[in-house]
Amino acid sequence: MTTSAGFPPRAEGKAAPGSPGERTVIPRRRRAEATRVLPARAEGVFAFETFIDDLPFASERERHRLKLAGSEIFDNLLHHAAPLDAAAMTVRVSRKGDRIFLAFYFKAAAFAPYAAACSDPELRDRDPLFDAVRRRWRGIGLKMCRNLAQSISFRAGETLDRIYLVFEPERP
Amino acid sequence: MTQLDIIERRDGDRLVVTVAGPVNSYTYGDFQEKMTKALAAHPLVVVDMEKVTTLSSAGIGVLMAALDDAEAEGKRIVVLRPSEIARLALESTGFSDRFPVAQNLRDI
């Protein structure tokens, strides 16, 4: 088992060879999943991007959506969930038929308000705001996540918290 | 690819800024610095994004701030040939029409 303590195992099928932090399972009938432990620091975004780029069961377009939304979640976990209780967090991507699921597992205090903002259904219609004092735009990442994923949910757990994104097939 | 490469090339009055690699929360600072300097010295800045491998909200924020500054100073910024992921990132903000995009340098 390569994941942190408390992470639920879902092994079925044959694990593909990979790096020590990686576990890829290619089970029967279009069900597949891959898991990686990411360093909970800024450079970890590269490990996440590489993990997504190497997913064997997602199309290029699906990998793009996963990478854009997931890197926003990763970045915001570092900023809004700090201090994370562990030195690492776990990311899992799974496919069931045409749907793809992206989950981050971590343990941190006070991430719930950000997660609630992510899943706000009105976010799609709300424009980001320009912070004139800091001369930067705020809320772009949230809006990107909301437009790239069909749903975003957060669940606080006893041992691990989870943020969960669902990607449906794109309509032409 | 973990390195962001930014190459600048003068083309008459305009400056072509070629960005290659990931524009993410770790690398966007370089992009911001180059864009600020480019805009200060040129009336037209073309940002070639054909080889961008990811574009996070931090990178889009840099582009948006640069667009605002350009507009205020009577200058222009054009995004050239955005890669598929860069295009998707811009679209996912919900206001991609704010970003002037060209597919060919001759069209600018």
Side-chain angles (χ1 to χ4, degrees):
Chain A
M1 200 63 204
T2 58
T3 57
S4 57
F7 188 73
R10 283 193 192 168
E12 56 176 281
K14 184 182 176 186
S19 64
E22 183 179 12
R23 179 189 179 91
T24 303
V25 179
I26 306 173
R28 301 175 291 273
R29 301 187 63 190
R30 300 201 72 195
R31 292 170 73 94
E33 67 178 50
T35 300
R36 181 165 292 182
V37 178
L38 303 174
R41 55 180 186 271
E43 306 93 292
V45 72
F46 296 116
F48 173 76
E49 289 168 0
T50 302
F51 169 62
I52 297 298
D53 283 339
D54 292 344
L55 280 179
F57 53 81
S59 69
E60 184 180 40
R61 179 77 173 180
E62 289 167 336
R63 290 197 300 271
H64 288 168
R65 292 166 73 197
L66 287 163
K67 189 152 73 167
L68 291 173
S71 59
E72 296 298 329
I73 297 294
F74 178 84
D75 191 38
N76 277 281
L77 278 169
L78 293 187
H79 284 94
H80 298 290
L84 290 164
D85 289 352
M89 66 178 94
T90 299
V91 59
R92 171 190 282 161
V93 178
S94 56
R95 152 162 247 132
K96 290 174 188 167
D98 291 335
R99 302 172 87 193
I100 293 188
F101 307 88
L102 171 65
F104 287 87
Y105 296 86
F106 55 97
K107 189 62 188 168
F111 187 67
Y114 173 76
C118 271
S119 53
D120 180 353
E122 294 180 3
L123 196 58
R124 282 198 176 100
D125 302 321
R126 198 178 302 154
D127 283 338
L129 300 171
F130 184 68
D131 181 339
V133 177
R134 295 185 176 181
R135 294 201 45 76
R136 57 169 289 192
W137 286 85
R138 305 185 74 87
I140 301 173
L142 274 179
K143 182 147 185 163
M144 290 171 71
C145 287
R146 203 67 194 88
N147 284 329
L148 289 163
Q150 268 57 51
S151 70
I152 305 173
S153 59
F154 170 74
R155 187 182 67 195
E158 211 163 281
T159 55
L160 285 175
D161 301 330
R162 184 189 77 169
I163 187 157
Y164 195 67
L165 288 78
V166 180
F167 297 83
E168 302 276 359
E170 286 181 292
R171 296 188 188 120
Chain B
M1 185 191 287
T2 58
Q3 186 181 330
L4 180 66
D5 292 319
I6 302 176
I7 298 168
E8 297 171 338
R9 172 172 62 88
R10 288 193 67 155
D11 183 26
D13 281 352
R14 62 193 177 187
L15 186 72
V16 179
V17 180
T18 301
V19 185
V23 186
N24 58 28
S25 55
Y26 196 76
T27 63
Y28 82 97
D30 291 344
F31 182 44
Q32 186 171 38
E33 187 184 339
K34 288 281 184 352
M35 286 301 294
T36 302
K37 286 181 181 172
L39 198 57
H42 297 86
L44 170 57
V45 177
V46 178
V47 188
D48 186 341
M49 304 193 88
E50 188 177 18
K51 293 180 179 171
V52 166
T53 57
T54 191
L55 178 59
S56 75
S57 62
I60 291 175
V62 170
L63 274 179
M64 288 176 66
L67 277 171
D68 290 341
D69 290 345
E71 197 173 292
E73 296 167 20
K75 297 181 176 181
R76 286 174 67 208
I77 289 180
V78 178
V79 175
L80 180 66
R81 292 185 290 256
S83 62
E84 193 180 322
I85 194 167
R87 183 187 298 276
L88 179 62
L90 295 173
E91 288 171 357
S92 70
T93 62
F95 41 83
S96 57
D97 52 347
R98 273 204 62 182
F99 301 97
V101 174
Q103 292 303 319
N104 198 310
L105 200 52
R106 289 193 307 272
D107 299 337
I108 301 171

